């Protein structure tokens, strides 16, 4: 069957099997391999993308279910050579080691900050609790997201003058 | 303006060079790679823990339109690949032929056009099994009536995987116990857990029949050693095998072994004449790949006049159905005999016996430093048990029994030579950071109100950086690492290393070593790794060996280059080499410091047509194979604060203080990150991670729904401290740190839980994981060990 | 990754259309809403529907509103919206308690109350919540609607009163005066199913409990409704001794099974502890609504 959705701002139409999971649609059909997978049971969060601005575990959605929706993957964070503050924050605060959970964590963070621009540490920890990281112990991820919140605000201040 | 603090040339908090691709989602992990014509493999696995295979019928699968081939043991036999050697000199079935010996064991390999079809076709293979009774409990494996698992091995009459291995002095230990005034014994289990890196295991094998070249894409922690194994197993010339590791989504020891799926992918590619990709799912990862720990221990500790004097341990090690543990050859129990710990004991004696059970093979994994995790857990639990018996503070008991700084290098009763340390200082730093006295006061106040708070400490000494050729090898291969360094005419460098990062930041830290030694900024040092064609032979990254061994290699090779540079500089400056002194990045004339040569100018000279020193070749490069003179011995003092809900048994880790001494720190930011991650794993092990089986050997939790890993809500804001006691024999004074936090944290947490419950509920031991149910049972006086 | 077997997919554009599709496709057809129960089961091949009818476009089923003396929740309302709803937090704070411990925040953007109730896993927190609140649910079929009480909704493990060709459309909660409610859960790790969980609701008349609703999750084949405890509470003033008796009833009247989360005796004990805790908080909220 044909599905049409917006992926990273671009309208895409492809022929898919109904059973094709969104994560495979992104990785295999669209060659956007930045979204990862790490489990079979929707627990690890490596596959998180944004659908209509809200975090979604792409291993638990069919591509068909995303027809007509807007999907954003990690590849959308950098715009015109400028890194998203979330990406910068992860780099500043050493919030990644092997990098495998990182796209899912960053998209979750982006979704959080778009809803709640000034989260407390507790709110950040809750927001990322649907993702597992084996490398960092989360401390630096929390610091990175807090940095991104502060720098998002700065960027917005600059824009509004 | 950036300062040297922001952009150190050499050691310091440098942000990572490898980050740019990862934060853009442009890492290249195994499943990201697509090759033209590539086929997909999937493995049919046994539902039974122990069963005869009566028949395998692949006919229905073969007619599936998208299936290219189906491989069984019979097919592999014709290629001589049905069985493969393990690192422990045992053999392991690649695909089961006669019998299956653990639930999840590989039975058939399907090769199809795509992943979905491969998964579909698994259901089309019909296997008839005749179930057999299973042995699941290591303690029962040697019962006379236990079913024989390894009837494939001629002469094997029981489920003993390797004979009892001993270390220490039994007589001296018996004497120490006889002379002691206090003896405490405990049965202590370190349950089976799993490293579960976020990226599962997989491989793409691409055999070119015309050239005989085998290209392998595979995230593994020891690519050169794997290459040697494949050459041996597949009968191919080693130099015609290339392994590319690219980016690896975590290893933690899970990506050390050679798995049957890898051999199947290789065989599949040889047979199909196309690249074959096999990537396991999470259930396969948990059910069939290298687990960790599973040690059943009985221990006694003794003391005289308040000082710890002796320790003895008797261990049954559950190795699963095949003995595939990874450790140096002469050490079948790894480094478990470091169980003598950080204490000035009179004597210790250790014996370990390994058994087969009907469970997945493995045992040495998950940041254990070759069984040091098991050893540290044992000794630190026993020290606390002794403190409980003596009714003394557990910190005081340790302080009074530590090896003293002046005793280093210290030869332990079980044959280790610890290099350097000031244990008491590290403990004091931890106690200060924790405000220990305040915590004890708070605990007393809470107890008076009926609230259960626990404080637990652990102190560990690790032995990492395996290892000297005179003492150790793996599969007959020296545990040495190489380093090749070339400084190009533009003054920038490329260093190729044997270490294999799975997230440890090597592209940054190894550049920093070259920067420290040669003064070339880290951004101008390219680190090459992960490709056996482009990196020197070495034994890879596990056992915290990257800094001790590859780090030593890079330091030594950089100094070789620096020495060459001195000779070239002396020609450039028309002076004698001995008249030159070095400051980072420059040789200059002693007594005339204005007169000097920068490293980049020396490099340019090395490639130019201008005269070189007498007898010296052009270029500026060197190669080294580094044989470490000894292991290195990082150590640490850890403290955990827990709160236990007295009605539900739920445990929360409120605080965790970790003081680590890993010698000189190349990049403190990277070191701290490693520690954070290992502490989170320790919380997992102490509170929630365990692989469980029923009596028939069915694995009850082979998914992340039930194999539980800590999230951001179970991990506190870790508090880190440091002391720095350089390693006297390491070129940089560095010791390695990757595994220390996983080694040292579980006993601190378990000691804390017991501390919360001892006075009010009389609990004096509890086995991991300290789930709410297990804690509650202990509070009722009915602690149950995991099966 | 594990992948589902093949099936047909269609998207419903109306409730009637969804029901018609279910009827037409027969018993092999399943509704998919959030999909976070169904799709994992399909990947593990524990569920192999021949047809999926996607109802995510049915915005008319996504609402939380006060209607007369009821609060009505559309079956397609997402967990995250139940969590954030100030209307629910005000009238039935038990929802916010439960939603904070259901799955994880990412799953909560997709999962729905209808999906949770229809999954009918005994460990579903919302099933216990709705049972304690004495909710009634609306089931629509091709020949109209019927309203079913929660006690009649959960028939057995993974079985509800929703028949073939029917759709759960609405949950109705009577808004009665003097209400207080709370949910208590213990799990091995954030996001895990409950080892045990208790939902309690009270409706006070002055200092006494006029009516109560208590239900337990994860300690039986289905949601456990503690009728005996509710009987005991009616007409009484709240107090520790009374709640201890309720705890005793809770631990007796549930039927937990031993599994990886815990043995039977612990689960029974936990059911009692959490029933008392939930009741205590529910009562405090009823008596001190300003807090």
């Amino acid at each position: 069957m044909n599905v049409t959705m917006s992926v990273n701002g671009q309208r895409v139409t492809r022929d898919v099997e109904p059973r094709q999971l969104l994560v495979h649609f992104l990785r295999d059909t669209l060659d956007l391999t930045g979204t990862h997978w790490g489990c079979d049971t929707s627990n690890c969060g490596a596959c998180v993308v944004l659908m209509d601005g809200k975090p979604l575990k792409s291993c638990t959605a069919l591509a068909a279910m995303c027809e007509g929706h807007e999907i954003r993957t990690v590849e959308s964070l950098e715009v015109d050579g400028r890194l998203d503050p979330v990406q910068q924050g992860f780099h500043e605060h050493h919030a990644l080691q092997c990098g495998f959970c990182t796209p899912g964590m960053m998209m979750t963070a982006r979704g959080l900050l778009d809803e709640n621009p000034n989260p407390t540490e507790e709110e950040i920890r809750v927001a990322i609790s649907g993702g597992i990281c084996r490398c960092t112990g989360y401390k630096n991820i929390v610091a990175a997201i807090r940095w991104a919140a502060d720098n998002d605000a700065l960027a917005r201040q600059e824009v509004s003058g | 303006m950036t300062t040297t603090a922001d952009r150190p040339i050499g050691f310091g908090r440098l942000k990572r060079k490898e980050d740019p691709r990862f934060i853009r989602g442009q890492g290249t992990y195994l499943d990201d790679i697509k090759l033209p014509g590539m086929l997909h493999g999937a493995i049919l696995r046994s539902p039974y823990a122990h069963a005869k295979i009566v028949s395998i019928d692949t006919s229905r699968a073969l007619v599936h339109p998208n299936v290219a081939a189906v491989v069984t043991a019979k097919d592999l036999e014709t290629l001589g690949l049905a069985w493969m050697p393990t690192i422990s000199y045992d053999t392991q079935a690649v695909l089961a032929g006669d019998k299956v010996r653990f639930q999840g064991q590989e039975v058939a390999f399907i090769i199809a056009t795509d992943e979905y079809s491969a998964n579909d076709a698994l259901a089309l293979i019909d296997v008839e099994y005749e179930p057999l009774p299973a042995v699941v409990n290591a303690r029962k494996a040697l019962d006379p009536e236990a079913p024989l698992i390894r009837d494939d091995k001629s002469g094997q009459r029981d489920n003993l995987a390797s004979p009892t291995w001993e270390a220490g002095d039994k007589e001296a230990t018996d004497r120490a116990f006889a002379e002691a005034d206090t003896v405490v014994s405990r049965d202590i289990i370190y349950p089976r857990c799993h490293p579960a890196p976020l990226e599962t295991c997989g491989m793409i094998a691409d055999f070119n029949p015309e050239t005989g070249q085998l290209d392998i894409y595979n995230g593994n922690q020891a690519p050169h050693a794997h290459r040697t194994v494949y050459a041996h197993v597949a009968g191919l010339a080693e130099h015609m095998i290339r392994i590319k590791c690219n980016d690896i989504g975590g290893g933690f020891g899970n990506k050390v072994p050679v798995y049957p799926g890898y051999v199947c992918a290789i065989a599949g590619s040889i047979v199909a004449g196309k690249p074959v990709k096999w990537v396991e799912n999470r259930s396969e990862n948990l059910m069939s790949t290298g687990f960790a720990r599973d040690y059943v221990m009985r221990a006694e500790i003794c003391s005289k006049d308040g000082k710890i004097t002796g320790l003895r341990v008797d261990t049954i090690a559950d190795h699963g159905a095949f003995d595939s543990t990874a450790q140096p050859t002469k050490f079948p129990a790894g480094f478990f005999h470091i169980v003598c710990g950080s204490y000035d004991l009179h004597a210790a004696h250790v014996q370990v016996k390994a058994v087969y059970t009907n469970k997945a093979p493995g045992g040495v994994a998950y940041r254990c430093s070759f069984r040091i995790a098991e050893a540290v857990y044992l000794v630190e639990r026993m020290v606390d048990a002794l403190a409980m018996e003596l009714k003394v503070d557990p910190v005081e008991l340790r302080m009074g029994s530590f090896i003293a700084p002046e005793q280093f290098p210290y030869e332990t009763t079980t044959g280790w030579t610890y290099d350097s340390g000031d244990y008491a200082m590290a403990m004091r730093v931890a106690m200060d950071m924790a405000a220990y006295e305040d915590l004890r006061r708070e605990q007393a106040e809470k107890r008076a109100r009926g609230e259960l708070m626990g404080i637990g400490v652990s102190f560990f000494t690790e032995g990492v950086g395996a290892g000297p050729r005179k003492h150790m090898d793996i599969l007959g291969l020296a545990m040495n690492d190489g380093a090749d360094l070339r400084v190009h005419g533009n003054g920038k460098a490329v260093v190729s290393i044997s270490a294999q990062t799975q997230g440890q930041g090597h592209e940054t830290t190894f550049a920093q070593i070259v920067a420290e030694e040669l003064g070339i900024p880290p951004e101008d040092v390219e680190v090459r790794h992960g490709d056996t064609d482009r990196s020197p032979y070495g034994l890879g990254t596990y056992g915290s060996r990257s800094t001790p061994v590859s780090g030593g290699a890079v330091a030594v090779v950089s100094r070789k280059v620096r020495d060459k540079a001195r000779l070239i500089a002396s020609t450039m400056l028309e002076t004698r080499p001995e008249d030159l002194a070095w400051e980072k990045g420059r040789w200059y004339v002693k007594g005339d410091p204005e007169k000097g040569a920068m490293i980049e100018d020396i490099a340019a000279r090395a490639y130019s047509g201008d005269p070189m020193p007498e007898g010296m070749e052009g270029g500026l490069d060197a190669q080294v194979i580094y044989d470490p003179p000894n292991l290195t011995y990082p150590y640490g003092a850890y403290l955990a604060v827990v709160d236990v809900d007295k009605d539900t048994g739920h445990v929360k880790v409120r605080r965790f203080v970790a003081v680590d001494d890993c010698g000189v720190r190349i990049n403190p930011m990277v070191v701290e990150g490693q520690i954070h991650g290992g502490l989170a794993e320790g919380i997992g092990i102490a509170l929630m991670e365990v692989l469980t089986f029923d009596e028939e050997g069915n694995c009850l939790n082979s998914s992340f729904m039930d194999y539980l890993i800590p999230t951001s809500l179970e991990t506190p804001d870790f508090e880190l401290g440091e002391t720095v006691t350089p390693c006297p024999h390491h070129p940089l004074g560095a010791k390695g740190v990757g595994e220390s936090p996983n080694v040292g944290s579980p006993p601190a947490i378990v000691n804390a839980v017991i501390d919360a419950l001892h006075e009010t509920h009389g609990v004096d031991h509890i086995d991991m994981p300290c789930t709410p149910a297990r804690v509650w049972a202990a509070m009722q006086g009915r602690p149950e060990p995991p099966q | 990754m594990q992948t589902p077997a093949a099936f047909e997919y269609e998207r419903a554009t109306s409730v009637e259309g969804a029901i018609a599709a279910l009827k037409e496709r027969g018993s092999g057809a399943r509704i998919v809403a959030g999909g976070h129960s169904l799709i994992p089961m399909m990947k593990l091949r524990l569920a192999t529907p021949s047809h999926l009818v996607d109802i995510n476009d049915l915005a008319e089923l996504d609402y939380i509103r006060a209607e007369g003396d009821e609060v009505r929740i559309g079956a397609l309302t997402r967990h995250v919206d139940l969590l954030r709803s100030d209307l629910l937090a005000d009238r039935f704070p038990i929802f916010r308690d439960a939603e904070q411990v259901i799955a994880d925040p990412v799953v909560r953007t997709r999962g729905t109350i209808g999906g949770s109730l229809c999954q009918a896993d005994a460990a579903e927190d919302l099933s216990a919540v709705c049972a304690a609140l004495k909710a009634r649910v609306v089931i629509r079929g091709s020949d109209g609607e019927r309203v079913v009480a929660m006690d009649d909704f959960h028939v057995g493990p993974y079985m509800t009163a929703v028949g073939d060709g029917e759709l759960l459309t609405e949950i109705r909660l009577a808004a009665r005066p003097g209400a207080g409610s709370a949910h208590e859960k213990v799990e091995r790790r954030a996001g895990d199913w409950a080892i045990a969980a208790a939902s309690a609701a009270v409706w006070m008349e002055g200092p006494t409990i006029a009516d109560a609703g208590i239900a337990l999750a994860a300690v039986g084949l289905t949601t456990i409704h503690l009728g005996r405890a509710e009987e005991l509470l009616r007409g009484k003033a709240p107090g520790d001794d009374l709640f201890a008796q309720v705890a005793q009833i809770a631990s007796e009247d549930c039927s937990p099974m031993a599994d990886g989360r815990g043995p039977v005796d612990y689960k029974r004990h936990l059911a009692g502890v959490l029933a008392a805790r939930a009741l205590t908080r529910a009562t405090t909220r009823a008596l001190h609504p300003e807090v």
Side-chain angles (χ1 to χ4, degrees), chain B residues 148 150-160:
Chain B
L148 180 65
R150 297 301 305 279
D151 47 352
D152 59 288
K153 298 177 72 159
S154 77
Q156 184 83 26
R157 298 269 171 268
D158 56 20
N159 293 319
L160 192 67

Side-chain angles (χ1 to χ4, degrees), chain B residues 115-116 119-120 280-281 283 645 647-650 688 704-706 708-711 713-714 771-773 776 782, chain C residues 1-6 44-45 186-190 192-193 195 260-263 265-266 269-270 273-274 277:
Chain B
E115 183 186 359
Y116 282 58
N119 287 344
D120 287 341
E280 63 175 2
N281 62 48
S283 170
D645 184 317
D647 294 312
T648 69
H650 185 265
M688 62 187 75
F704 278 172
M705 190 148 36
D706 287 299
L708 300 174
I709 290 173
T711 69
L713 295 177
E714 284 81 35
T771 60
W776 184 78
R782 299 181 275 108
Chain C
M1 187 192 305
Q2 298 188 51
T3 51
L44 299 176
R45 310 232 171 169
V186 173
E187 64 262 47
R188 296 173 296 178
R189 188 210 65 187
D192 193 14
W193 292 109
I195 305 173
R261 292 186 200 104
D265 62 348
Y266 174 65
H269 163 80
L270 202 55
V273 168
L274 297 182
R277 283 188 187 177

Side-chain angles (χ1 to χ4, degrees), chain C:
Chain C
M1 187 192 305
Q2 298 188 51
T3 51
F7 54 86
E8 307 271 343
Y9 168 92
E10 63 191 274
R11 213 183 260 205
T13 52
S14 66
V15 174
E16 290 67 40
I19 289 167
L22 286 176
K23 261 201 111 166
E24 193 186 322
R25 307 298 180 201
S27 60
R30 295 284 300 261
I31 294 286
V32 63
H36 280 56
S37 299
L38 182 59
I39 293 178
M41 291 203 319
M42 291 172 69
K43 285 157 73 173
L44 299 176
R45 310 232 171 169
L46 298 172
T48 47
S50 56
H51 284 84
L52 280 195
V53 179
D54 181 344
I55 59 166
N56 285 290
D57 282 352
L58 303 185
E60 69 257 42
L61 293 182
D62 186 357
Y63 55 87
I64 305 168
R65 54 181 177 243
E67 259 181 49
D69 58 358
E70 281 186 325
V71 171
R72 294 185 175 185
I73 303 174
L76 201 63
T77 306
R78 312 278 172 186
H79 287 295
V80 64
D81 296 318
L82 295 169
L83 173 67
R84 289 182 185 161
S85 162
D86 288 333
L87 172 62
L88 284 182
D90 184 54
R91 310 279 193 97
F92 303 107
I94 189 175
F95 273 98
R96 189 164 282 179
D97 289 349
E99 288 295 350
Q100 280 171 346
V101 293
I102 287 177
D104 64 62
V106 181
V107 171
R108 292 198 291 261
T109 65
R110 300 303 300 159
T112 64
I113 180 168
S116 291
L117 293 180
C118 291
Q119 173 68 6
D121 189 311
E124 290 283 354
D125 294 283
L126 287 188
S127 297
V129 167
C130 290
L133 293 177
K134 303 187 191 298
R136 298 177 311 142
V137 300
V138 180
I139 299 174
R140 201 188 300 180
S142 52
D143 24 298
E145 270 186 7
R146 53 202 179 88
V147 181
V148 171
M150 277 309 292
D151 273 353
D152 301 321
F153 182 74
H154 286 120
V155 168
Y158 309 102
M159 293 189 292
T160 70
V162 179
D164 283 345
E166 292 188 312
L167 193 63
L168 175 70
T169 55
E170 185 176 78
I171 295 89
R172 293 180 178 170
L173 307 165
R176 294 145 62 193
S181 57
H183 185 76
E184 290 272 342
K185 173 178 178 177
V186 173
E187 64 262 47
R188 296 173 296 178
R189 188 210 65 187
D192 193 14
W193 292 109
I195 305 173
S199 290
V202 294
W203 292 270
M204 307 294 293
E205 248 171 40
T208 58
I209 298 170
D211 195 11
I214 317 219
L216 303 173
V219 285
L221 289 176
T222 177
T223 310
I224 303 279
H225 180 192
L226 293 176
R228 216 164 43 105
E230 294 172 2
E231 235 343 276
L232 178 71
L233 288 166
R234 283 189 198 102
K236 304 250 187 13
D240 287 344
D241 288 339
L242 178 65
F243 293 166
Q245 288 176 63
V246 168
Q248 182 62 28
I249 293 172
S251 62
E252 286 166 8
D253 286 7
C254 62
S255 44
M257 294 199 310
D259 62 19
R261 292 186 200 104
V264 170
D265 62 348
Y266 174 65
K267 291 187 181 189
R268 283 192 187 280
H269 163 80
L270 202 55
V273 168
L274 297 182
R277 283 188 187 177
L279 206 45
T280 305
R281 278 207 301 138
T283 321
T284 303
R285 282 173 171 165
L287 293 172
H288 305 282
E290 68 284 0
V291 167

Side-chain angles (χ1 to χ4, degrees), chain B residues 635-655:
Chain B
Y635 57 92
Y638 287 178
L639 179 142
V641 179
V642 303
D643 296 299
V644 181
D645 184 317
K646 70 175 177 7
D647 294 312
T648 69
H650 185 265
V651 175
K652 179 135 177 101
V653 178
R654 193 206 307 171
R655 284 179 71 189

